[in-house]
Amino acid sequence: MPLKKIIMHKLRMRLKEPFATSFGVMQEKEFYIIEVVDSDGNKGYGETVAFSVPWYTEETVKSNRDIIVDCLIPILREHELYHPDEVFPLFEKLRGNNMAKAAVEGAIWDLYAKRKGISLATALGGEKTEIGVGISIGIQRTVGELISKIEQSLEEGYKRIKLKIKPGLDVEILREVRRHFPDTPIMADANSAYSLKDISLLKELDDLDLMMIEQPLQHYDIIDHAKLQNQLKTPICLDESIHSLYDVEKAIELGSSKVINIKIGRVGGLSESKRIHNYCKKQGIPVWCGGMLEAGIGRAHNIALSALANFILPGDTSGSSRYWEEDIIHPEVIAEKGIIKVPTSPGIGYEINEDALRKFRVERQEYQI
């Protein structure tokens, strides 16, 4: 793949409504679109998923930019690439910064698939023609508002409801939700808001028939999660604790998790996501694709990854209109009755909405390879 240049588009987009978690509340999102251009004029696109402040991982929008410009682009200048699987080991010499790495690697995967004339899903080994999707609902001001949003989501056909929780806004709210929706697949996402001191409270969740509780304990922990899982009937799903295949291997060995959430940015790209998927499939551990409030390009990468066989649980990749008044791709991602069709055209399968890209762009930088 004769790479010629990388263009970094910094965008600022506003969510339709505030999204609240145990971290805090967010409505405006800044991120970079990474455009990789080869000598034939083909273009591949990736998207950074870090937030402006380091409340999910240590990465930020600014650190993503600095690592890409100062470290990753120079590495690409020094090496010829023949397949995107070669990118991960080249970048692995740099510690951490998985979200920066994933954005560049994702653009190269998209470029590779377009050069081959195949869809990104096919390039990754995906088998599905459609994926079931769930929806993630942030913490609401009242239980009534939460019930209303769940009703709306179910009417729209979403296959699974994920609810954010934190201390003081957890068991009683989930009980009320379960009373209204006795048969709905529901999971709770704690985003590391609890500790082992809360075991008795977390054990109360066993009565609510939840699909799973996601990342209840510390964001780098796998030891205490094993202790907690031993006390719970409800499956624990690890999210923030998983940054690599190595983390997955140790978590499964210790019994820390019965489900794994794969986020492309968190684990350093599509190649590592594939390896985690394949390992979990061999171990009989189901996986699903988590979301990071992506715009259309990041959302398209999630769809392609979710076409792999062991993504048997609905992910967070809802339609574009769930979060944005206008997306940066066309057609926008559409979820119909909880189903998204996996694109079959080359690359990510969506065209860039150049007007929207210019509308939301606040900065543009170009670098030769």
Side-chain angles (χ1 to χ4, degrees):
M1 290 185 289
L3 304 184
K4 182 179 180 181
K5 61 183 176 181
I6 287 181
I7 304 170
M8 297 181 63
H9 309 265
K10 186 179 182 181
L11 274 58
R12 183 179 296 126
M13 293 174 64
R14 187 171 178 82
L15 292 160
K16 277 185 167 181
E17 57 186 53
F19 192 82
T21 71
S22 61
F23 300 135
V25 181
M26 184 179 71
Q27 186 161 17
E28 189 170 79
K29 189 179 184 191
E30 289 187 332
F31 57 95
Y32 281 93
I33 295 301
I34 309 302
E35 179 182 350
V36 177
V37 185
D38 70 11
S39 58
D40 298 320
N42 299 301
K43 300 176 181 179
Y45 295 91
E47 179 178 327
T48 65
V49 295
F51 299 122
S52 296
V53 293
W55 54 9
Y56 178 74
T57 71
E58 75 284 354
E59 291 184 78
T60 66
V61 177
K62 185 178 185 302
S63 74
N64 280 178
R65 182 263 175 207
D66 291 344
I67 290 296
I68 292 170
V69 173
D70 296 341
C71 302
L72 303 185
I73 291 176
I75 289 174
L76 293 178
R77 287 177 179 145
E78 296 171 0
H79 297 87
E80 290 186 355
L81 294 177
Y82 297 92
H83 192 280
D85 277 334
E86 299 167 9
V87 176
F88 184 86
L90 289 177
F91 288 172
E92 199 171 19
K93 66 181 70 175
L94 302 176
R95 297 285 179 90
N97 297 286
N98 280 352
M99 293 177 177
K101 296 173 181 177
V104 176
E105 188 224 47
I108 292 171
W109 266 105
D110 181 32
L111 177 65
Y112 170 82
K114 287 171 178 171
R115 286 174 59 88
K116 291 289 186 179
I118 59 176
S119 71
L120 178 58
T122 298
L124 293 170
E127 304 171 2
K128 302 176 189 174
T129 59
E130 59 184 33
I131 61 171
V133 293
I135 196 164
S136 180
I137 300 177
I139 295 169
Q140 303 298 306
R141 290 177 297 179
T142 68
V143 177
E145 289 183 10
L146 179 59
I147 298 298
S148 177
K149 287 189 178 296
I150 295 172
E151 288 175 342
Q152 179 183 348
S153 299
L154 293 176
E155 289 172 2
E156 293 171 0
Y158 286 103
K159 304 297 185 184
R160 179 269 290 153
I161 305 294
K162 180 167 85 171
L163 303 178
K164 298 288 186 177
I165 62 172
K166 67 178 182 179
L169 296 172
D170 42 43
V171 177
E172 292 306 316
I173 290 175
L174 289 172
R175 282 193 180 127
E176 187 66 14
V177 167
R178 181 51 85 201
R179 188 176 71 82
H180 279 79
F181 308 100
D183 302 316
T184 298
I186 294 172
M187 60 176 287
D189 184 6
N191 289 118
S192 307
Y194 299 86
S195 73
L196 286 181
K197 295 178 182 178
D198 301 306
I199 282 183
S200 59
L201 181 147
L202 294 171
K203 287 178 73 171
E204 295 184 53
L205 299 178
D206 280 341
D207 298 328
L208 300 178
D209 190 29
L210 300 177
M211 295 176 67
M212 67 193 82
I213 176 171
E214 184 179 2
Q215 196 70 37
L217 308 180
Q218 285 295 312
H219 63 289
Y220 274 104
D221 172 75
I222 58 173
I223 303 297
D224 284 352
H225 277 104
K227 296 176 182 178
L228 178 60
Q229 183 65 87
N230 192 48
Q231 298 288 315
L232 296 181
K233 293 184 296 183
T234 305
I236 289 175
C237 170
L238 289 184
D239 176 358
E240 288 95 329
S241 293
I242 302 300
H243 299 86
S244 65
L245 174 58
Y246 177 86
D247 291 339
V248 173
E249 291 170 343
K250 297 307 172 188
I252 292 175
E253 180 182 346
L254 290 169
S256 309
S257 182
K258 295 181 179 179
V259 183
I260 297 293
N261 171 343
I262 300 178
K263 289 181 178 173
I264 300 168
R266 195 192 63 236
V267 303
L270 287 164
S271 293
E272 187 75 345
S273 296
K274 281 195 306 173
R275 284 188 283 269
I276 292 171
H277 164 275
N278 294 343
Y279 178 80
C280 288
K281 185 178 180 182
K282 290 179 181 178
Q283 297 297 318
I285 300 293
V287 302
W288 58 281
C289 185
M292 291 288 290
L293 300 176
E294 293 95 341
I297 292 169
R299 207 162 287 266
H301 282 84
N302 289 346
I303 293 168
L305 180 66
S306 298
L308 274 65
N310 196 42
F311 282 89
I312 58 179
L313 300 174
D316 282 344
T317 309
S318 49
S320 299
S321 62
R322 171 67 179 81
Y323 296 107
W324 312 108
E325 293 290 353
E326 182 181 16
D327 208 340
I328 56 173
I329 57 171
H330 59 75
E332 295 188 350
V333 176
I334 298 174
E336 293 184 337
K337 298 182 179 179
I339 297 293
I340 293 177
K341 300 288 186 182
V342 178
T344 57
S345 52
I348 59 174
Y350 298 88
E351 298 296 326
I352 305 304
N353 183 336
E354 297 289 350
D355 290 339
L357 188 69
R358 285 190 293 270
K359 175 180 177 181
F360 298 122
R361 186 169 59 204
V362 295
E363 182 183 303
R364 182 186 184 277
Q365 297 170 317
E366 186 170 319
Y367 303 89
Q368 299 300 310
I369 300 296

